[in-house]
Amino acid sequence: MTTTTLRNGIDVDQLLRTIDAVQDDADVASFTFRASSTWQDGTLNTGRIHGFTHAGSEDTSRDEAFELTGDEPPVLLGRNTGPNAVELVLQALGFCYAVGYVANAAARGIEIERMDYEVEGDIDVRPFLGQDGPRPGFTEIRVTGTVASPNASDDQLTELCQYVQDTSPVRDIIANPVPVRTSLRIV
């Protein structure tokens, strides 16, 4: 009979097998994620996230696409039917930090009872509106994490927080330049 070690809802045995697989074959670490967006009306868009490629093969684990609604608040000409794009970026950072924290805590034997992230960012829309101003994106993002653990010291939890920041794919995407190639098909 096989025993599965679950910690923080993470299958630690599977996590360790994944780490070993990536160490044995770097191609296993290769992913291409995709998302699509379709404009509906005004500032309303719908998004779909479905398949992705892993190690050169299409993943088939998702039966259906995730559907998202993106909109703007009325002050930015929207109807508040969904978060706007920059709010989704902030949420992505919170999601990434939380996943990284609990998974790495599990691998280290740290039990997590609570893990919350509050993420906020400052933006000036003048450049988006064709006016002079600071960069069009966030000028600062602030994150506050809250964690509770019955078996880890404050130093362990603080060190893990730094490790998560240093290894977060979303933080890296936000904090460092990433080449973005955009093309347009005219139909």
Side-chain angles (χ1 to χ4, degrees):
M1 185 165 155
T2 306
T3 303
T4 302
T5 304
L6 284 177
R7 189 172 297 115
N8 307 329
I10 301 291
D11 182 334
V12 177
D13 302 320
Q14 179 63 39
L15 174 60
L16 296 176
R17 285 192 299 274
T18 300
I19 291 168
D20 289 343
V22 168
Q23 189 167 11
D24 292 344
D25 181 0
D27 288 342
V28 175
S30 174
F31 288 83
T32 300
F33 291 101
R34 296 183 295 275
S36 65
S37 177
T38 302
W39 170 73
Q40 300 298 319
D41 181 53
T43 61
L44 178 63
N45 288 274
T46 56
R48 289 176 47 89
I49 299 171
H50 192 224
F52 60 91
T53 305
H54 173 230
S57 298
E58 188 66 19
D59 178 84
T60 59
S61 65
R62 296 175 175 166
D63 293 330
E64 296 181 22
F66 298 109
E67 304 264 341
L68 302 153
T69 300
D71 199 358
E72 295 288 339
V75 70
L76 292 173
L77 309 176
R79 294 183 293 254
N80 266 340
T81 59
N84 70 24
V86 295
E87 290 169 316
L88 291 169
V89 169
L90 297 175
Q91 187 62 70
L93 182 60
F95 283 167
C96 191
Y97 274 8
V99 168
Y101 203 99
V102 298
N104 282 285
R108 296 175 183 205
I110 297 172
E111 295 174 26
I112 301 297
E113 292 178 337
R114 177 182 174 189
M115 174 86 271
D116 301 317
Y117 280 101
E118 297 292 328
V119 187
E120 63 182 19
D122 301 326
I123 197 164
D124 185 323
V125 299
R126 285 179 294 170
F128 179 74
L129 298 173
Q131 300 174 12
D132 289 335
R135 59 180 289 177
F138 287 116
T139 54
E140 182 177 70
I141 295 173
R142 292 170 300 283
V143 181
T144 302
T146 302
V147 65
S149 171
N151 70 335
S153 69
D154 291 358
D155 286 345
Q156 289 173 305
L157 296 172
T158 300
E159 187 278 324
L160 181 54
C161 181
Q162 185 61 54
Y163 179 81
V164 168
Q165 292 172 71
D166 294 343
T167 60
S168 165
V170 174
R171 183 183 182 280
D172 182 75
I173 290 165
I174 294 169
N176 297 298
V178 176
V180 177
R181 294 187 316 247
T182 304
S183 61
L184 179 66
R185 287 185 306 225
I186 299 174
V187 295

mmCIF file of all heavy atoms in Angstrom, residues 25 74 93 131 147:
data_model
loop_
_atom_site.group_PDB
_atom_site.id
_atom_site.type_symbol
_atom_site.label_atom_id
_atom_site.label_comp_id
_atom_site.label_asym_id
_atom_site.label_seq_id
_atom_site.Cartn_x
_atom_site.Cartn_y
_atom_site.Cartn_z
ATOM 1 N N ASP A 25 15.679 15.951 -16.801
ATOM 2 C CA ASP A 25 15.401 16.321 -18.186
ATOM 3 C C ASP A 25 14.841 17.735 -18.213
ATOM 4 O O ASP A 25 13.661 17.951 -17.907
ATOM 5 C CB ASP A 25 14.403 15.336 -18.802
ATOM 6 C CG ASP A 25 14.079 15.628 -20.252
ATOM 7 O OD1 ASP A 25 14.616 16.603 -20.823
ATOM 8 O OD2 ASP A 25 13.272 14.864 -20.817
ATOM 9 N N PRO A 74 -17.018 52.172 -14.135
ATOM 10 C CA PRO A 74 -17.656 53.276 -14.861
ATOM 11 C C PRO A 74 -16.750 54.493 -15.066
ATOM 12 O O PRO A 74 -16.815 55.138 -16.106
ATOM 13 C CB PRO A 74 -18.870 53.620 -13.992
ATOM 14 C CG PRO A 74 -19.211 52.323 -13.331
ATOM 15 C CD PRO A 74 -17.874 51.667 -13.056
ATOM 16 N N LEU A 93 -0.312 37.957 -9.492
ATOM 17 C CA LEU A 93 0.828 37.986 -8.571
ATOM 18 C C LEU A 93 0.443 37.367 -7.231
ATOM 19 O O LEU A 93 1.198 36.558 -6.679
ATOM 20 C CB LEU A 93 1.330 39.415 -8.385
ATOM 21 C CG LEU A 93 2.546 39.580 -7.474
ATOM 22 C CD1 LEU A 93 3.751 38.791 -8.007
ATOM 23 C CD2 LEU A 93 2.893 41.056 -7.320
ATOM 24 N N GLN A 131 -1.791 61.168 -23.235
ATOM 25 C CA GLN A 131 -1.247 62.376 -22.609
ATOM 26 C C GLN A 131 0.117 62.075 -22.007
ATOM 27 O O GLN A 131 0.480 60.920 -21.777
ATOM 28 C CB GLN A 131 -2.196 62.872 -21.518
ATOM 29 C CG GLN A 131 -3.572 63.218 -22.032
ATOM 30 C CD GLN A 131 -4.526 63.554 -20.906
ATOM 31 O OE1 GLN A 131 -4.128 63.754 -19.760
ATOM 32 N NE2 GLN A 131 -5.809 63.616 -21.224
ATOM 33 N N VAL A 147 0.601 35.089 7.078
ATOM 34 C CA VAL A 147 0.784 33.649 7.159
ATOM 35 C C VAL A 147 0.699 33.200 8.612
ATOM 36 O O VAL A 147 1.087 33.939 9.521
ATOM 37 C CB VAL A 147 2.133 33.217 6.524
ATOM 38 C CG1 VAL A 147 3.315 33.762 7.304
ATOM 39 C CG2 VAL A 147 2.222 31.706 6.375
#
